[in-house]
Amino acid sequence: QVQLVESGGGLVQPGESLRLSCAASGSIFRINAMGWYRQAPGKQRELVATITSGGSTNYADSQKGRFTISRDNAKNTVYLQMNSLKPEDTAVYYCNAGLTVVTTGGNYRYLETWGQGTLVTVSS
């Protein structure tokens, strides 16, 4: 069983910063791409940023220059540094990962999984 656990959400004022963390645990052989997505009230889930195992990053246009995704492979953790936050950044932020896991039979299989989400509220 594999789990992604997010942390770091909260209430901040416009212009402030937050850092989200997402730690993966379980029978993990390798973590491939990891990413952050968000879902605002009444809207569809959308991409925020992704990062490959080699460190290549991709950002949604609205986050370029304000958000930075990074990962610590030794800790199986991905981070999202969010600066200059705006009210429109208010959403539940979800961590996503593509992993190669070890099954109980000792085999390997690919799995994509999501965290439970962490709420970010930007309001004065």
Side-chain angles (χ1 to χ4, degrees):
Q1 185 177 358
V2 175
Q3 275 191 318
L4 299 180
V5 178
E6 299 113 331
S7 61
L11 172 64
V12 295
Q13 294 188 345
E16 293 185 339
S17 299
L18 273 179
R19 189 192 195 206
L20 305 183
S21 300
C22 171
S25 62
S27 301
I28 300 169
F29 174 72
R30 181 177 59 238
I31 302 179
N32 303 310
M34 302 184 80
W36 290 95
Y37 294 74
R38 69 185 185 184
Q39 188 166 17
K43 296 187 176 181
Q44 289 188 329
R45 192 173 297 188
E46 63 177 7
L47 169 73
V48 175
T50 61
I51 184 167
T52 67
S53 57
S56 296
T57 58
N58 178 56
Y59 295 92
D61 288 342
S62 60
Q63 282 85 51
K64 287 181 180 178
R66 296 191 301 125
F67 292 6
T68 302
I69 189 171
S70 61
R71 63 191 282 174
D72 185 334
N73 291 330
K75 296 181 179 180
N76 288 342
T77 299
V78 63
Y79 306 96
L80 184 68
Q81 177 67 42
M82 304 185 292
N83 299 327
S84 303
L85 282 162
K86 305 174 182 179
E88 51 264 42
D89 294 316
T90 295
V92 177
Y93 284 70
Y94 295 92
C95 177
N96 171 272
L99 315 102
T100 301
V101 299
V102 183
T103 68
T104 54
N107 298 313
Y108 299 97
R109 70 180 178 97
Y110 180 79
L111 173 70
E112 183 177 357
T113 192
W114 294 84
Q116 81 287 353
T118 185
L119 177 63
V120 172
T121 304
V122 185
S123 175
S124 55

